Amino acid sequence: MALLNAVHHIAIISSDYQRAKQFYTEILGLTIIQEVYRAERQSYKLDLAVNGLYQIELFSFPDPPKRPSRPEAAGLRHLAFSVNDLDEAVADLQAKGVELEPIRIDELTGKRFTFFADPDGLPLELYSI
C-alpha cells in the first residue's frame, strides 16, 4: 500500500514578493486562493491554484539567501507545468516579455518542452502533454 497520494503543494520563497506575485498571477495566470501577511514572521504567504487546483505557496521572507541555479545545483532541479499547446504557451509568455530557451524534444518520451525562469531565476519548464 502506498503511503503517498499526490504532491500537495510546492513552496517557493521569493526575494521580491510583489514582483513574484505579479509574475505567477499575471504572467503565468495562476489564480489567487488566499493571501495572508504573517506579522510575526514579516512574511506573506500566497496560495495559488494551477488550473483550479491548489498547488503553489509563494512566500516572502526578509533577506532570504540566494538559491544557486546554474550550473545545476543539488536539490530541487526545476518546477514543470504541463500544457496542451506548447507553441501557444510559448507565444503567450514571449508576448509578456518572458525569455524562453529553444524548444527541445525529450529523447525518452518524444514530448516537446522548454525552460524559462521566474524573477528569482528558479528554473521553470513547460512540458507538452
Side-chain angles (χ1 to χ4, degrees):
M1 170 172 80
L3 297 175
L4 306 178
N5 294 321
V7 173
H8 184 268
H9 68 271
I10 296 126
I12 299 170
I13 299 173
S14 64
S15 65
D16 182 329
Y17 177 74
Q18 292 304 323
R19 184 175 66 156
K21 178 181 174 182
Q22 184 266 336
F23 178 82
Y24 282 94
T25 59
E26 295 176 27
I27 303 295
L28 296 185
L30 305 187
T31 306
I32 297 173
I33 297 171
Q34 174 178 268
E35 182 176 36
V36 176
Y37 182 73
R38 304 173 305 172
E40 71 281 0
R41 298 183 80 181
Q42 299 175 25
S43 170
Y44 278 97
K45 178 181 180 281
L46 182 66
D47 296 331
L48 298 167
V50 179
N51 197 26
L53 298 174
Y54 165 70
Q55 293 189 336
I56 295 180
E57 294 178 344
L58 181 65
F59 290 94
S60 69
F61 289 106
D63 302 313
K66 294 252 184 234
R67 176 194 183 275
S69 270
R70 303 223 187 254
E72 293 188 41
L76 180 66
R77 186 174 183 191
H78 62 267
L79 172 59
F81 296 98
S82 64
V83 296
N84 291 324
D85 186 328
L86 183 62
D87 295 316
E88 181 181 4
V90 166
D92 179 67
L93 290 177
Q94 287 174 331
K96 294 173 180 173
V98 176
E99 292 184 32
L100 294 97
E101 294 180 3
I103 292 174
R104 296 185 266 166
I105 306 291
D106 184 321
E107 61 189 42
L108 299 176
T109 66
K111 301 288 186 173
R112 299 167 68 228
F113 67 97
T114 187
F115 283 93
F116 62 105
D118 84 347
D120 284 307
L122 176 66
L124 302 176
E125 178 182 10
L126 297 178
Y127 196 91
S128 182
I129 58 172

